[in-house]
Amino acid sequence: MKIVYNNKSIEKVCTNASIAEKKYGAEMAKKIQMRIDQIKASDSVEQMIQFHLGRCHLLKGNRKNQYAVDLVHPQRLIFEKKGNEIHIANILEIIDYH
């Protein structure tokens, strides 16, 4: 899938390992990069769900139509499909939404 970012801040964290490490630590920076690589390598969100990549799952409630993948517990990488495109993931944020 092609990846776009909700804002410059999340883009920097997801594309620059040193910035991610400074903000979240080494373990989290590695997980972020791994999840971004998995999203890029997937053909669609449905494929990620089918093969349990990052425990990808659809969210509910006020996060309807958003998806989450696991990072370092309890943090999650949140994204959504861009428009009607099933091949574009819009990375929204890294958060503990629990």
Side-chain angles (χ1 to χ4, degrees), residues 60-79:
K60 299 174 185 174
N62 64 343
R63 291 192 174 273
K64 185 179 178 182
N65 298 322
Q66 294 180 355
Y67 298 84
V69 290
D70 290 350
L71 295 172
V72 175
H73 185 74
Q75 300 290 326
R76 304 288 189 269
L77 178 69
I78 310 298
F79 65 97

Side-chain angles (χ1 to χ4, degrees), residues 22-87:
K22 285 178 189 173
K23 186 167 183 171
Y24 295 106
E27 183 181 6
M28 183 79 148
K30 288 178 187 176
K31 282 280 191 177
I32 292 168
Q33 189 57 56
M34 181 173 71
R35 298 302 184 218
I36 293 296
D37 290 345
Q38 288 174 333
I39 293 169
K40 284 181 184 176
S42 297
D43 291 332
S44 67
V45 175
E46 289 74 20
Q47 183 183 50
M48 291 185 67
I49 293 169
Q50 177 185 0
F51 292 107
H52 307 289
L53 297 176
R55 218 173 60 81
C56 184
H57 56 282
L58 182 62
L59 300 175
K60 299 174 185 174
N62 64 343
R63 291 192 174 273
K64 185 179 178 182
N65 298 322
Q66 294 180 355
Y67 298 84
V69 290
D70 290 350
L71 295 172
V72 175
H73 185 74
Q75 300 290 326
R76 304 288 189 269
L77 178 69
I78 310 298
F79 65 97
E80 63 187 3
K81 294 179 187 178
K82 184 74 170 175
N84 292 328
E85 286 291 326
I86 63 168
H87 302 294

